[in-house]
Structure formats: C-alpha cells, structure tokens
C-alpha cells in the first residue's frame, strides 16, 4: 500500500508535500518542471492525507500485492461539498463513493 | 556538514503537534494570552500524529446515567488493576467538557431528534472524524502560538540543583534544511505519542508501514525522557490491537457497529470462551489460531446492503485502505466475513498504561517537564478525548507553574545549558560527515525488529516471552547501539531516520527491563511471561524504571487509588 504520482497531472504545487505526516513527499526536478515524488514507497502509512490535498487527482492510492491489492487505484476530490472517492479497477471500471462530511458515521 | 543554528526562546515548548499537543496550545493560549507558546512538530500539524486519516467514534465519553467513576472502574478492570485511578478520575471528569469543545470547534457528532448525542454503548459516541486533525490544528493557532513544522526534537536540556532536576529546553533539527534548533524554554510539554516499529510488523515487506499505530511515532518522547533520567511506568503492558487482516484497519466499528461476533474456521463463535476485555479478545484469537481453529473472522455475512454501504463510508473516514480492499476484491462484508489478526506490539499510553510517571498535574519527575496523551503513563483507555482531557489538565498546570516562576523571578531569562546543546548538535554533524558506514538505518531497524519479535514476545512466538529469551534480546539490542552511532546521513531527512532508530533502540531496552521485572503474567498476550504463567498478587504494583549510569533501575511502587494523592519526591 502506497501512493503513485501521475506526473502528467501533477502541477508541482507542493500541497501534498506539506501535509505528509512522514515527510515522505518532496518536489523533484528542475525549476519549472518540479513534480511531487515519494522518497520511499514502502514508508507510506496509507493515511491518504496527501491525496485529499491534491486538486488535480494526480496522487493515486493503491494496495500492495502483499496485502491483497489487485491493481486498483483510488483518488479523492471535493465535489458539491461532498468527499468523493473514486476507485478505478484494473478493468478500467470506475466506482465512486461520496461521503457527506456533515453527516456522522452510523457505526 | 556544519548546520546553521537557530535559537528559539519561548515560555512553553510543546514537543509534538498531534492530538494532545495541539489541544494544549489551544487551551493555554485561551487561558493566558501573555505566554509565548511554541509547538515543534516533526512533520506538519495539519495531519500529523494518530488522527491523520481520521477516526469514526469518540471512545471515551460519559453518557447520561453514568459518572466519571464508572469510567475509572471500567478502565481499571480492563487493565487488571494496574492503573493510576487518580489520573483516570481527573481525566474522566474532563471527557465531556472537551467533547463539547470539539463540537464547538467544528467536529460533526451524531445526534438524535432531541439533539442528544447518539451513543454506541455507554461510553462511545458516533462522529464524522475525517477532518478531526485539521480541526485541532486550526484550534492550535492562537496569536501567542508559534508553530514550527518539520523540526525533529531529539534531546531535552536540563540543569541540576539541590532541588532536583529542572528542564531548560530542547534541541532538534530541521528535517528539510541544514539547520539545528536550540529551544530555550521555561517549561516543556512532551506530546510525542507512543512507539511503533519496535517489533517485526504484520506486513514486513512492501507494506511494512501498513500498521495500526503511526509508523512515524517512534517513541521519541519516551527516549528523550529516559535519557534525561525521568521515571517511566508500565512499559511491560504492551498494546496489541485486534485488526482486520492485511489492511490492519479497526475492528471495533464492525464488532460494535453491526454487532459482528468473533468466529473461527469451525464455525464456532469463540469470544465468550476467553472474555471480552481488550487483551482477552486478542488472546482468544491467538489461542484459536494456535489450536488449529483459525483463521478467525468477524461474522459479517448477511448484513444488509445499506449496512455494507455505511461501513464503506465509515472506513473511508478513518482507514481508507479497508474500503479500497472490499471494493477492489469485489467482496464486501455482506458477502464475506472479515478476517482478523493481532498486530505486532506497541508501547502506547493512550490504550495501555506505558509512559512517563506523572502526578495529577501531569508533571513528570523532572521540574517544568509535563506529559500528555500517548506518551503519558498510568491512564489507559484514554483515546482521543482522554488525550485532550490530559492536555487540558497539563495546560492549566503549566499556566500555574509559569505564573509562579514569574512571581519568583520576574522575567529573568532561564538558564540555558549551552555546552550540552552544542554536544547534541555535534552528534548530528558527526552523522552528517561520516563517509563509510557499515550499515544503513533500515538494516538496523530490520535487525531490531527481528530480535524483538523472536526474543521479546512478538507475533512469531504468540506474544509469549521467557526470561532466557529476554536475556538474548537485551544482549543483541545492546550490540546494535554502537552500530546506530555510526550511521551515515546525507541529508537531515536521513538524520531523522537515524535518530528514529536510536529512539526505538532506547525504548526496546526499557521495554525489555520492564518485561523482565514483572515476574508474573498480568495480561494475556500484552505481557505473557512463560516462566510465570499466572497472575501473582505480589505484583499488584507498578513496575517503574529510571535510567541511571547506563542501566535501568527498576522501582516497584504501590498502587494509587482514586481519592489518593500522589506527589513526586525527588
């Protein structure tokens, strides 16, 4: 379990690098072409703080094969006040789960 | 490499901007706008600490019809009596107040039609806690609070006099730039959290950090206190969580939320056989596996589609990997029972009772040094609201302490041990200038985790340990310490990883000394001494320790009950 960074979507804004509780993300590259990069994939806790910061869905969360990952990835965006989690399965099929932050959990 | 130096003067230094650290700043800033407060945080307070991903219930709240004494009784029974009832009582009295404050700061709490909180049992309430840490971080930002992110504190500074030891500040370095920081401070609040990563984890490979407790909580606060000679308590009461297999996501949401029972592979509900205390639920699962009745599960098959969808959302608010796993595998909890396993052991004063030995004001055995949250000992089952309660009590005590200093000394600057601070920084620079190390920090960590797993009661021995094994663990851990002194750092990020392994090795040494000292089995799995498999009333005592002249001196102290007052005597 860790994150992958889609370099074509990353704008190098650095929002994700400021929030990682493990200081794992940093901007790497030349002046105007800086992109977010993870220092070590194995050191990610899986808290998803970074993907919540990314306004471009450039950060994708995934499960390692050692804990049952099959190749799906998850991104996050705010949409109409909802927290929208988008899961893309290896087949390309997308599933969206929207959570209203104003509602408490039922459990 | 020579580091630039920055000197920061403050009245209160808070080490660690997690749950307790942020809330202490919020309370003290409100109490006294003239006090200079500085939070030093290794990462960024917005999401650092235990609450990074969120939390989906507040597990310590006194519901209608109950009193704080009920919470003390519950926590004491769950911990087989080895708790500080005085600390639990003062904490329990604050639980509801801090909860209401959290709500006013913006936390969403589930309410019924009459506007009452909806509870899950008599001491839990349901929330949407996805954003609980950003809420606390925002609350910490008072006008007199300076937040310094990305600074890793490694050592406390102190002076000695005939009145004992007094804290004078701390030393650390920036994780992102070549800078060392000296903090001169009249009081210090340690709020660094507990320690993970001591034992080989459930997923030792690619997902090695997919663990229950934050892998970035390395026991820094314990280690700096141990080295400063502070008294520590109950390290031997390890915490081992019962978790969803692989993702190490919480089980309580399923067990309590949809009433799922623990089921073995022979289709038997086994939890009643072992008891329902925290350690017994875990021990039952370990034992069923050892008997060949595993794997074990939470029985969720048959819950309806709405319940399944609600669980997906609940987990996204605290442990997103579990929802991803369900969706990715195409089998949610309605159609497949959820497999469970015990984690590797952690040292964490918010769930069990390990940590600094403190008085009711949350002062440690060192003057001016306070502790709150997971790093503070004696009061288990603290959870989020207990950590906030403790932070509030500590903040009030620190306010009184700073006021009394001012009355005695005016605004004279505090003493600052310059030589000691420089020696710590010279240690940083040594690692930054080494050229040919024998090993990497990763390799030392792997070695430490293997030793602790095999000889100090890790997953591979079903959490049991023997005195003969501990002797080997002690020897092997002490052999790693000189190796850790010769690790090479190319950047201050590397330097942080080196200090993290050093901290963990120090905590391992303390833990081994405590496990050795409790010559009974007080708790299943948490502290299961194979040489003394039964409970022994001789050990109805706290096992405490002080690190003196390179050795841990064990102190057995009598239990302190509610209504009794404990005072430090230096």
């Amino acid at each position: 379990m860790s994150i992958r960074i889609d370099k074509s979507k990353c704008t190098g804004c650095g929002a994700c690098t400021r929030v990682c509780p493990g200081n794992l993300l940093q901007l790497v590259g030349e002046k105007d072409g800086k992109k977010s990069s993870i220092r070590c994939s194995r050191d990610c806790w899986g808290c998803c703080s970074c993907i919540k910061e990314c306004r471009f869905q450039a950060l994708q969360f995934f499960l390692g094969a050692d804990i049952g990952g099959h190749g799906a990835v998850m991104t996050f965006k705010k949409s109409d006040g909802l927290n929208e989690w988008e899961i893309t399965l290896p087949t390309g099929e997308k599933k969206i789960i929207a959570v209203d932050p104003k509602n408490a959990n039922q459990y | 490499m020579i580091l630039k130096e920055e000197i920061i003067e403050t009245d209160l230094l808070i080490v660690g901007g997690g749950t307790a650290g942020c809330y202490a700043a919020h309370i003290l800033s409100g109490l006294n706008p003239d006090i200079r407060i500085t939070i030093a945080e290794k990462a960024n307070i917005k999401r650092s600490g235990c609450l990074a991903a969120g939390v989906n219930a507040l597990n310590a709240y006194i519901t209608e019809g109950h009193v704080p004494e009920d919470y003390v009784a519950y926590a004491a029974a769950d911990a087989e009596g080895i708790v500080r009832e005085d600390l639990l009582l003062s904490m329990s009295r604050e639980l509801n107040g801090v909860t209401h404050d959290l709500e006013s700061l913006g936390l969403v709490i589930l309410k019924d039609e009459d506007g009452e909180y909806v509870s899950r049992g008599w001491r839990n309430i349901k929330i949407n806690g996805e954003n609980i840490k950003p809420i606390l971080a925002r609350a910490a930002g008072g006008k007199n609070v300076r937040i310094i992110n990305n600074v890793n504190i490694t050592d406390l500074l102190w002076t000695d006099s005939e009145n004992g030891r007094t804290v004078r500040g701390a030393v650390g370095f920036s994780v992102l730039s070549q800078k060392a920081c000296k903090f001169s401070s009249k009081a210090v609040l340690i709020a660094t959290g507990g320690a993970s990563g001591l034992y080989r984890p459930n997923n030792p490979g690619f997902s090695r950090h997919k663990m229950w407790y934050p892998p970035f909580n390395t026991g820094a606060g314990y280690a700096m206190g141990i080295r400063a000679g502070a008294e520590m308590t109950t390290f031997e009461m390890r915490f081992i969580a019962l978790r969803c297999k692989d993702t190490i996501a919480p089980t309580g949401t399923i067990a309590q939320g949809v009433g799922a029972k623990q089921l073995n592979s022979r289709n038997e509900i086994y939890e009643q056989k072992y008891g329902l205390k925290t350690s017994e639920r875990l021990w039952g699962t370990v034992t069923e596996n050892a008997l060949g009745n595993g794997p074990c599960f939470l029985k969720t098959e048959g819950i309806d589609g709405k319940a399944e969808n609600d669980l997906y959302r609940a987990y996204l608010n605290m442990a997103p990997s579990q929802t991803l796993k369900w969706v990715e595998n195409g089998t949610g909890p309605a159609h497949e029972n959820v497999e469970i396993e015990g984690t590797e052991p952690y040292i964490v004063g918010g769930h069990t009772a390990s940590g600094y030995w403190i008085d009711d004001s949350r002062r440690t055995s060192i003057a001016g040094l306070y502790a709150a949250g997971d790093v503070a000992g004696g009061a288990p089952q603290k959870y989020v609201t207990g950590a906030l309660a403790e932070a509030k009590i500590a903040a009030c005590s620190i306010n009184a302490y700073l006021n009394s200093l001012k009355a005695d000394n005016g605004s004279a600057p505090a003493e600052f041990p310059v030589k000691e601070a420089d020696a710590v920084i010279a240690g940083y620079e040594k690692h930054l200038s080494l050229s040919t190390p024998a090993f990497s920090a990763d390799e030392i960590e792997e070695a430490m985790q293997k030793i602790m797993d095999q000889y100090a009661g890790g997953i591979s021995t079903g959490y049991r340990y023997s005195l003969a094994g501990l002797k080997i663990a002690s020897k092997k851990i002490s052999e790693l310490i000189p190796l850790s002194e010769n690790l090479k750092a190319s950047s201050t990020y590397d330097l942080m990883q080196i200090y993290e392994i050093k901290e963990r090795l120090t905590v391992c040494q303390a833990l081994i000394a405590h496990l050795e000292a409790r010559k009974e089995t007080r708790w299943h799995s948490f502290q299961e001494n194979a040489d003394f498999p039964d409970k022994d009333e001789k050990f109805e005592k706290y096992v405490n320790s002080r690190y003196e002249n390179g050795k841990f001196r064990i102190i057995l102290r009598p239990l302190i009950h509610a209504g009794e007052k404990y005072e430090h005597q230096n």
Side-chain angles (χ1 to χ4, degrees):
Chain A
M1 154 240 58
S2 192
I3 57 150
R4 285 196 199 96
I5 298 156
D6 182 341
K7 303 275 189 234
S8 70
K9 289 184 177 168
C10 176
T11 64
C13 74
C16 59
T17 66
R18 288 189 286 274
V19 79
C20 174
N23 290 303
L24 293 175
L25 296 168
Q26 56 182 344
L27 291 178
V28 173
E30 293 307 309
K31 257 189 175 171
D32 294 330
K34 285 194 172 169
K35 304 280 181 191
S36 179
S37 169
I38 184 161
R39 292 177 197 265
C40 174
S41 298
R42 294 155 61 99
D43 284 349
C44 173
W45 186 29
C47 71
C48 290
S49 298
C50 57
I51 74 168
K52 292 172 189 170
E53 292 293 314
C54 182
R55 289 177 291 131
F56 311 99
Q57 291 75 54
L59 272 67
Q60 304 173 331
F61 179 66
F62 71 96
L63 301 181
D66 62 333
I67 56 170
H70 292 357
V73 296
M74 184 155 74
T75 58
F76 178 95
K77 71 174 172 192
K78 285 265 183 199
S79 179
D80 293 333
L82 299 179
N83 292 340
E84 226 175 71
W85 301 79
E86 183 176 280
I87 297 170
T88 306
L89 299 175
T91 57
E93 188 191 345
K94 289 183 191 297
K95 296 199 170 183
I96 292 174
I97 303 176
V99 185
D100 187 345
K102 293 191 291 298
N103 288 343
N105 297 313
Q106 299 302 308
Y107 297 110
Chain B
M1 190 189 294
I2 300 294
L3 297 170
K4 273 195 308 194
E5 279 184 26
E6 188 184 354
I7 298 168
I8 295 130
E9 281 196 30
T10 186
D11 297 318
L12 171 65
L13 171 66
I14 299 176
V15 185
T19 313
C22 283
Y23 198 68
H26 165 68
I27 292 292
L28 187 54
S29 168
L31 276 177
N32 191 338
D34 299 326
I35 288 177
R36 296 170 299 171
I37 303 164
T38 304
I39 300 179
E41 160 60 45
K42 176 161 84 169
N44 183 304
I45 66 164
K46 184 170 183 185
R47 290 275 181 183
S48 60
C50 299
L51 298 177
V55 61
N56 93 321
L58 295 180
N59 291 325
Y61 182 82
I62 315 290
T63 54
E64 191 73 31
H66 289 271
V67 291
E69 285 77 2
D70 295 341
Y71 199 85
V72 177
Y74 150 71
D78 201 77
E80 306 290 349
I82 310 300
V83 297
R84 286 277 301 276
E85 290 188 359
D86 56 333
L87 300 178
L88 279 170
L89 185 59
S90 57
M91 174 196 94
S92 300
R93 286 179 173 147
E94 298 290 344
L95 292 173
N96 290 17
V98 300
T99 303
H100 302 146
D101 191 26
L102 258 185
E103 189 179 19
S104 73
L105 292 169
L107 183 74
V108 171
I109 304 182
L110 189 64
K111 289 182 173 170
D112 62 18
E113 289 163 354
D114 301 324
E116 301 293 330
Y117 294 158
V118 176
S119 60
R120 186 177 89 178
W122 69 266
R123 52 181 191 271
N124 303 25
I125 55 173
K126 301 173 184 181
I127 63 172
N128 185 321
E130 186 283 317
N131 61 347
I132 189 169
K133 188 65 210 298
I135 288 172
L136 285 166
R138 239 184 354 254
K143 277 203 182 111
N144 53 334
V145 181
R146 180 175 175 195
I147 294 160
I148 306 180
N149 288 314
N150 308 113
V151 163
N152 186 46
I153 304 273
T154 63
D155 288 82
L156 295 168
L157 297 170
W158 63 86
T159 55
D160 289 327
S161 72
E162 67 272 19
N163 298 324
R165 189 157 283 185
T166 304
V167 75
R168 299 297 180 191
V171 192
F173 56 86
S174 164
V175 178
L176 303 181
S177 65
Q178 293 171 16
K179 188 175 76 180
C181 303
K182 291 174 176 170
F183 293 88
S184 169
S185 185
K186 298 190 177 88
V188 175
L189 174 65
I190 296 274
T192 48
S196 67
L198 307 174
Y199 286 81
R200 182 187 280 157
N202 291 100
N203 309 306
F206 179 77
S207 300
R208 63 184 182 180
H209 275 184
K210 185 65 268 183
M211 51 179 60
W212 167 71
Y213 203 59
F216 317 117
N217 284 17
T218 55
Y222 297 140
M224 63 183 91
I226 289 167
R227 287 195 299 267
E231 187 162 333
M232 296 286 162
T233 190
T234 323
F235 269 42
E236 75 282 6
M237 186 187 183
R238 306 173 302 170
F239 184 69
I240 302 161
L242 185 65
R243 292 258 126 173
C244 299
K245 177 91 170 36
D246 296 331
T247 59
I248 319 296
T251 50
T253 301
I254 304 174
Q256 290 163 289
V258 299
K261 303 278 184 226
Q262 289 173 231
L263 181 78
N264 68 19
S265 281
R266 305 194 191 284
N267 223 15
E268 296 159 347
I269 304 285
Y270 62 85
E271 59 190 33
Q272 292 90 341
K273 277 204 283 192
Y274 299 94
L276 296 175
K277 287 178 185 164
T278 312
S279 59
E280 290 169 341
R281 283 179 167 273
L282 168 77
W283 171 62
T285 305
V286 173
T287 308
E288 287 295 309
N289 280 323
L291 290 170
N293 296 335
C296 296
F297 301 87
L298 285 175
K299 190 176 182 323
T300 55
E301 275 176 22
I303 63 170
D304 62 28
K306 181 181 177 304
E308 183 172 85
N309 278 323
D310 284 341
L311 282 177
Y312 287 170
R313 289 183 174 79
Y315 276 87
L316 285 171
N317 284 338
M318 60 170 172
S321 49
Q322 183 63 34
T323 304
L324 178 57
K325 186 175 185 188
W326 276 325
V327 173
E328 174 164 17
N329 286 304
T331 47
H335 299 100
E336 192 174 273
N337 293 328
V338 177
E339 191 177 341
I340 53 176
E341 64 179 332
T343 65
E344 72 276 15
Y346 308 93
I347 303 298
V348 51
H351 284 249
T352 46
S354 318
Y356 278 84
W357 178 249
I358 51 179
D359 67 13
D360 201 40
S361 77
R362 271 58 184 176
R363 206 204 91 176
T364 70
S365 57
I366 296 176
L369 182 66
Y370 295 77
D374 283 348
V375 84
Q381 319 284 2
K382 241 176 252 180
Y383 306 120
V384 178
T385 43
L388 301 178
E390 210 155 51
K392 182 177 174 182
I393 297 167
C396 295
S397 309
I398 290 164
N399 188 35
Y401 175 71
L402 291 174
N403 285 337
S404 73
L405 283 185
K406 204 170 170 186
D408 292 349
N409 308 332
S411 28
E415 285 179 68
F416 186 76
V418 176
K419 248 191 357 200
E420 286 76 4
D422 287 340
V424 173
I425 294 170
Y428 302 158
E429 288 171 345
K430 188 192 86 178
H431 287 292
L432 286 161
S433 58
L434 282 175
S435 52
T436 50
F439 300 107
S440 68
D442 245 19
E443 288 164 335
I444 303 296
E445 179 178 287
E446 199 177 340
M448 172 193 67
Q449 291 179 343
K450 181 181 173 191
I451 294 163
M452 295 302 287
D453 179 65
Q454 296 181 347
Y455 297 111
I459 295 170
S460 72
T461 61
Y463 306 119
R464 294 167 81 230
Y465 66 89
S466 68
L467 296 182
L470 286 183
K471 211 169 160 186
I472 297 174
S474 177
K475 178 169 178 288
K476 285 178 176 282
I477 292 290
S478 68
E479 287 167 0
L480 292 181
I481 287 172
L483 299 181
S484 74
E485 290 299 333
N486 285 311
L487 295 170
K488 171 184 184 285
S490 304
S491 65
T492 53
Y493 178 80
D494 291 351
L495 194 59
M496 177 186 75
Q497 293 190 308
I498 291 172
Y499 277 81
E500 287 177 341
I501 184 70
K502 289 191 193 191
E503 287 151 8
R504 285 178 163 130
L505 288 167
T506 300
V507 175
C508 285
Q509 287 185 302
L511 172 55
I512 291 166
H514 277 250
L515 288 171
E516 199 273 332
R518 192 170 278 286
K519 291 186 172 55
E520 62 158 355
T521 290
R522 177 59 50 169
W523 308 277
H524 285 299
S525 303
F526 289 5
Q527 184 263 323
E528 198 143 344
N529 187 334
D531 295 309
F532 302 93
D534 299 312
K535 231 166 41 169
D536 182 343
E537 63 181 29
K538 282 207 301 284
F539 281 93
E540 283 174 5
K541 287 197 159 71
Y542 308 110
V543 173
N544 286 9
S545 65
R546 283 188 188 220
Y547 189 64
E548 293 169 347
N549 306 316
K551 286 210 165 81
F552 288 89
R553 178 166 68 90
I554 294 292
I555 308 158
L556 296 181
R557 286 187 180 269
L559 297 185
I560 297 162
H561 299 286
E564 292 174 5
K565 189 166 170 63
Y566 166 78
E567 281 179 49
H568 290 306
Q569 284 165 356
N570 286 317

